[in-house]
Structures are given as C-alpha cells and as structure tokens.
Amino acid sequence: SSSYIDEGVKVDAWEILNINISGRLLKAEIGMVSYFVSPTDPDGFHLTIFSPQEFLAQLANIYLHIAAGFKTKCRETWMRECAITSRKVIRNPEKIHVEMDFTSLKKIQDSVISMASCRVYDDQGGLFTARIKGLLR
C-alpha cells in the first residue's frame, strides 16, 4: 500500500487565506497547514489530487451560498460531478491559487445549480484544471 494512503491523507490540512468574488469569478489563495511528504518523491512536497477536490468543493459551497443571497451556511451543497486533471505538479504548499469561473448558474425553486471551470496553480508553473457541477439545496 502507499504510505500516502495509509498515513498522508490524514496529515494533509489546508486553509483559505483569502477569497475574492466578482460576478461569476471566484479567486482564492490556499495554504497547506500541514502536509505529507512522500518518501519516494526526492523533490519534496507535491499536491495530490485529493486536496484540490476538497477546496474546490468548499469554495463552490461559499460561492453558491452568496449567489443564493445567504450570509451564513444554511444549506447543503453537493458536488454532483468533478473532473480534475493534473497538468503539472504543484510544489508550493504555502501559496496555492484557485480560480473558479462559474459558467452556468441556475436558480430553480429553492435550489441553485452550477457549473464551473477551475484552475488550481502555484507560482512555479504547477497546474490542475477542473470542471465541477454542484447543487445548493
């Protein structure tokens, strides 16, 4: 088994350092509070695909609550679909940038349905791209 799966997933923790929402665009900066360094990666830290899925879901949750006019979390947000591609390894754990472009946002009765195109990147050229679909209900 992988030491990351056995131990590392439990060590990885992150925080939102800042967030800015302007229209359909959300920009945020994430910092890893703690992280696992694989003994088989001689270059040290690399962001796994699990953490970006977590923070994209949390940022979408924030965006959808604001889009629905709420000031606090009062509903559930479900990530219905998620496709993430690792384009180039992200190595900077302290400053991870996120851009989410909510290309579709529909209010249907008490629910908000959305789609977003996302980029997760660092200042060293690392890049993940993602497409997510979510539902606030």
Side-chain angles (χ1 to χ4, degrees):
S1 180
S2 161
S3 58
Y4 178 73
I5 297 299
D6 291 342
E7 305 164 33
V9 173
K10 298 169 189 80
V11 174
D12 285 350
W14 50 270
E15 65 182 344
I16 299 170
L17 300 173
N18 64 59
I19 185 169
N20 184 324
I21 296 173
S22 178
R24 68 182 208 180
L25 187 63
L26 179 150
K27 292 185 179 184
E29 187 177 310
I30 305 292
M32 297 300 293
V33 174
S34 62
Y35 52 87
F36 181 78
V37 176
S38 173
T40 58
D41 185 347
D43 294 325
F45 170 80
H46 67 268
L47 187 66
T48 69
I49 207 158
F50 301 112
S51 291
Q53 183 174 348
E54 287 179 11
F55 48 77
L56 289 172
Q58 182 59 46
L59 292 167
N61 185 19
I62 293 167
Y63 183 90
L64 290 175
H65 272 80
I66 291 170
F70 300 118
K71 296 196 182 294
T72 59
K73 184 183 186 306
C74 58
R75 301 266 179 98
E76 286 301 312
T77 303
W78 297 345
M79 184 183 288
R80 297 184 63 178
E81 290 183 36
C82 180
I84 300 176
T85 303
S86 176
R87 304 284 180 187
K88 188 172 180 206
V89 67
I90 292 176
R91 295 266 182 205
N92 186 348
E94 296 172 3
K95 197 169 189 178
I96 301 166
H97 301 280
V98 179
E99 292 179 0
M100 301 177 75
D101 183 4
F102 287 83
T103 56
S104 175
L105 191 69
K106 295 178 185 169
K107 294 181 182 181
I108 300 173
Q109 296 175 2
D110 288 342
S111 299
V112 179
I113 300 168
S114 71
M115 289 189 345
S117 295
C118 313
R119 294 179 64 237
V120 178
Y121 59 97
D122 67 5
D123 58 358
Q124 300 170 15
L127 175 64
F128 284 63
T129 57
R131 293 192 47 82
I132 62 171
K133 293 181 182 178
L135 170 68
L136 175 78
R137 46 183 281 167

